[in-house]
Amino acid sequence: MSDVRKPLMAGNWKMNLNHFEAVAHVQKMAFALDDADYDACEVVVLVPFTDLRSLQVLVDADKLRIQYGSQDISAHEKGAYTGEVAGSMLSKIGCSYAVVGHSERRQYHGETNEDINAKALAALANGITPIICYGEALEVREAGDQVMYSLDQVEKCLAGFTPEQAASVVLAYEPIWAIGTGLTASPTDAQEVCGATRGWLTDHFGSEVANSIRILYGGSMKGSNVASLMSQPDIDGGLVGGASLDPDEFVAMARHRLLTP
Ligand code: 13P
């Protein structure tokens, strides 16, 4: 966490919560959060496509400061792409963010770094901030190659980006072995890759851009470990799966400033 980058706590609901449940969940969060919380930390929920319209109506009507976004975005602008959702549709429905390249989409849908690069550019073209996910599998970590592997993903996902485009993304380091397993990277392990990522960004886009980009950590982040992870200099927030499905816990995580590392 740094003074120059506003922390971002993003809940990735994955394939959970229908639109009725989504409204109740966000209302519960909104009831607990106040302006001081939003001033200190951006609070975002990344939800199934079918929840978006209901959240737009709720957020607009009650002028909530909670932001929302999608878990994927098409690389294409329109046309014969059955099942896909275009960036223009997501921006029209008020999405601020879109997750791209989550490891579950890499694993189950064969998404490549090149696909993710195109999706991130599609998000930016539509005024949506892509949250670009990267991170190594267990065997890569066991071989000690986590930094090299992760930076290679970042390089490919950001290939061809101008410094201005790079400055508009959020990165999320999510070591696959820590996702949904209860195994969290230690603050030192997470910082190793996030710090190396910032170094790479500095080399390629300059220190001003690198220092403005938020790098999130994801992988079994929860109320009991958020403060120690957030105390690391290059961790600027969380991409939270399971713990974001409990509104009380997620609110406490958004308020990590009040917790002791
Ligand atoms: P968990 O917090 O459930 O480990 O999930 C992390 C994740 O994949 C967020 O995108």
Side-chain angles (χ1 to χ4, degrees), residues 45-240:
V45 289
L46 301 157
V47 305
F49 290 124
T50 50
D51 294 353
L52 288 171
R53 178 64 178 160
S54 302
L55 292 190
Q56 180 187 35
V57 170
L58 172 67
V59 164
D60 284 359
D62 289 345
K63 299 191 171 36
L64 304 183
R65 290 179 69 187
I66 291 176
Q67 300 173 82
Y68 55 88
S70 62
Q71 299 170 9
D72 188 24
I73 183 171
S74 179
H76 307 287
E77 207 29 72
K78 58 153 80 170
Y81 300 102
T82 301
E84 296 206 24
V85 179
S88 57
M89 299 168 180
L90 296 172
S91 66
K92 197 81 177 162
I93 210 163
C95 286
S96 308
Y97 290 91
V99 180
V100 297
H102 193 279
S103 62
E104 287 149 18
R105 295 212 56 91
R106 292 176 187 258
Q107 183 179 353
Y108 305 134
H109 301 271
E111 287 191 13
T112 63
N113 291 317
E114 290 67 32
D115 296 328
I116 294 154
N117 177 284
K119 289 183 175 199
L121 288 170
L124 291 176
N126 286 286
I128 294 169
T129 302
I131 300 177
I132 302 171
C133 302
Y134 66 108
E136 81 286 354
L138 186 58
E139 53 280 13
V140 175
R141 176 155 287 265
E142 283 175 346
D145 292 335
Q146 63 274 8
V147 170
M148 196 181 64
Y149 182 91
S150 297
L151 295 187
D152 180 64
Q153 284 186 321
V154 170
E155 177 162 22
K156 289 179 171 141
C157 290
L158 296 182
F161 276 49
T162 64
E164 292 70 30
Q165 287 171 323
S168 303
V169 311
V170 169
L171 295 174
Y173 170 57
E174 296 210 310
I176 296 169
W177 50 271
I179 295 177
T181 56
L183 295 172
T184 316
S186 71
T188 315
D189 286 342
Q191 168 60 28
E192 179 194 33
V193 177
C194 294
T197 303
R198 185 129 15 240
W200 185 91
L201 292 169
T202 305
D203 291 345
H204 287 77
F205 298 112
S207 59
E208 195 177 330
V209 169
N211 288 331
S212 71
I213 295 175
R214 287 173 301 180
I215 304 174
L216 314 182
Y217 168 78
S220 301
M221 202 189 216
K222 45 187 178 283
S224 58
N225 59 30
V226 64
S228 56
L229 287 159
M230 290 300 292
S231 72
Q232 299 299 310
D234 291 299
I235 299 179
D236 307 310
L239 187 54
V240 185

